[in-house]
Amino acid sequence: MSQPSTDAPSGARQSTLRTTNLALVLHTVCASARPLSRSDVAAATGMTRATAARLVDELVAGALLDEVERDPLPRRGRPATPLLPGARLGALGLQVDAGLLAARVLDLRGRVVGERVEQRDLRGSDPTGTFARLGTLTAELLDDLPAALRLVGAGLAVPGVVDEAAGVLLRAPNLGWSDLDTAELLHACVPGGLEVVLGNEADLAARTVADEAPGRAGPHRDFLYLSGQIGIGGAVVLDGRVVTGSSGWAGEVGHVCVDPGGPACSCGSTGCLELYAGRHAFLRAAGLPLEAASGELAELARAGDPAAAGAVDTGAWALGVALAGVVNVVGIPTVVLGGHLAELADLLRPPLEEHLARRVLSARWQRPRILGAQGPSAAGASGAALRALDEVLAHPARWLD
């Protein structure tokens, strides 16, 4: 008697092949810096033109791809129709930080469709009240979105150690929150049925440097990202991917000790980096009120104000001590300064590069580069939206079927 076949049914194989090819076509278009035609997609993926065209048609019908105006220049034969990632699909990114609340929607092209950012001091705040306010900002944002826009997911960026799988913020020293289950609180912030993924703010903010848009890599693939708010978060990025460690808690550069005999930190240690280079640390050292903008500090430092210049020098020293240790261990050639550190980047760069040149063993052959992050504030919210859009790129068939 013949044995029954163990091969998967033909229909299942065909379904899997279609799913894989849809993802390949969508990723190919999203990854391109220029609009592609159906023929371009076929050439880039190795598919036949007929197969590529059929898959593109499915993605266009599902609004995951858009056809745009054809090239007006005369060509022989039928002109190609350029393709772009869909403008009618978007994701919601939320951020809670010690100094701000943010809600932002990005579309599949990586454009900001709408946003609400509110500066406020949330240290020691009540989580329920804070999330209620975030829900109000989110509702205002969603009311102003184009009617045709379809939200496919959401993400929340928080400044602390998180258990992503459980949706629990384990500890956020600057907020004063511990063991916070965000699931119930998020019901006040997002539309029903929309899945929300929790993540560390610095890890998600680093995504905005690693990726120019959903599925499209940025120019920097290996770097250390510093997220400057009231505290300082950090993320190590290798080959465009955030290194989170075995438990997902890597990158807490703000709590690297730069002076064991220094002041006590809210994390329980002493002399942490953020006590010297956090936003409030800079303002206190410069003799400015905590409500002052980082730009005011920068103007005073450029004008030669002794207190402001001293604040910058102290911050650069602390950053040099902490970053030299990270660079020596990990061997990353680029440091990207985000948040308030980006606003001070041109002032911090010269002294910080001097500190790193002395402290980094490999600096003689490869001096670390210091860059200021570009783009809007509250980068964690943008990164949270980007991560939600990852699901569309990975599984486009779900949004068609």
Side-chain angles (χ1 to χ4, degrees), residues 168-180:
V168 175
L169 172 57
L170 299 174
R171 192 173 185 204
N174 289 315
L175 288 169
W177 297 353
S178 296
D179 300 315
L180 183 67

Side-chain angles (χ1 to χ4, degrees), residues 276-316 340-341 343-348:
Y276 303 90
R279 182 173 179 275
H280 283 181
F282 272 113
L283 295 174
R284 286 194 186 96
L288 293 171
L290 299 185
E291 298 76 24
S294 298
E296 184 176 347
L297 168 63
E299 290 178 8
L300 288 172
R302 292 189 187 98
D305 179 83
V312 171
D313 287 342
T314 298
H340 78 277
L341 296 174
E343 299 180 58
L344 300 171
D346 63 327
L347 294 169
L348 290 169

Side-chain angles (χ1 to χ4, degrees), residues 14-347:
Q14 288 297 324
S15 175
T16 301
L17 181 61
R18 169 180 172 270
T19 299
T20 301
N21 284 340
L22 281 169
L24 177 58
V25 169
L26 179 61
H27 189 273
T28 298
V29 175
C30 289
S32 176
R34 64 176 181 85
L36 300 180
S37 68
R38 286 166 171 79
S39 295
D40 292 330
V41 171
T45 60
M47 299 177 186
T48 66
R49 289 195 179 190
T51 298
R54 175 174 54 78
L55 294 168
V56 165
D57 289 344
E58 284 193 65
L59 293 168
V60 169
L64 276 70
L65 291 179
D66 289 338
E67 296 179 321
V68 295
E69 292 186 9
R70 295 172 177 173
D71 191 339
L73 296 176
R75 290 184 177 181
R76 301 182 66 178
R78 182 180 179 182
T81 301
L83 301 164
L84 285 176
R88 289 171 288 167
L89 264 68
L92 171 66
L94 305 173
Q95 182 173 341
V96 176
D97 217 314
L100 61 82
L101 293 173
R104 179 175 291 135
V105 171
L106 301 184
D107 66 14
L108 202 53
R109 299 180 192 175
R111 302 177 304 179
V112 176
V113 181
E115 66 178 2
R116 294 289 189 279
V117 179
E118 182 175 278
Q119 304 289 335
R120 56 166 54 198
D121 188 349
L122 294 171
R123 292 173 298 167
S125 62
D126 171 58
T128 301
T130 297
F131 275 86
R133 180 56 191 164
L134 180 61
T136 299
L137 293 179
T138 304
E140 294 173 358
L141 167 61
L142 298 181
D143 285 344
D144 288 343
L145 292 179
L149 186 74
R150 177 188 179 191
L151 291 179
V152 297
L156 170 65
V158 289
V161 179
V162 301
D163 182 338
E164 294 187 4
V168 175
L169 172 57
L170 299 174
R171 192 173 185 204
N174 289 315
L175 288 169
W177 297 353
S178 296
D179 300 315
L180 183 67
D181 189 341
T182 62
E184 289 297 324
L185 294 170
L186 284 168
H187 287 166
C189 301
V190 300
L194 199 64
E195 181 180 354
V196 187
V197 180
L198 182 69
N200 173 268
E201 178 272 333
D203 290 348
L204 292 171
R207 284 287 309 273
T208 66
V209 178
D211 298 328
E212 292 184 340
R216 188 188 313 155
H220 306 295
R221 309 306 293 154
D222 302 301
F223 59 91
L224 171 65
Y225 182 88
L226 291 191
S227 175
Q229 298 292 339
I230 290 177
I232 295 179
V236 174
V237 179
L238 296 176
D239 195 25
R241 295 181 177 274
V242 177
V243 178
T244 58
S246 60
S247 300
W249 304 336
E252 292 292 337
V253 180
H255 294 287
V256 169
C257 178
V258 300
D259 180 8
C265 180
S266 59
C267 74
S269 185
T270 58
C272 292
L273 170 63
E274 66 179 40
L275 297 176
Y276 303 90
R279 182 173 179 275
H280 283 181
F282 272 113
L283 295 174
R284 286 194 186 96
L288 293 171
L290 299 185
E291 298 76 24
S294 298
E296 184 176 347
L297 168 63
E299 290 178 8
L300 288 172
R302 292 189 187 98
D305 179 83
V312 171
D313 287 342
T314 298
W317 161 78
L319 286 165
V321 173
L323 295 180
V326 177
V327 174
N328 277 328
V329 171
V330 184
I332 287 181
T334 303
V335 176
V336 180
L337 304 178
H340 78 277
L341 296 174
E343 299 180 58
L344 300 171
D346 63 327
L347 294 169

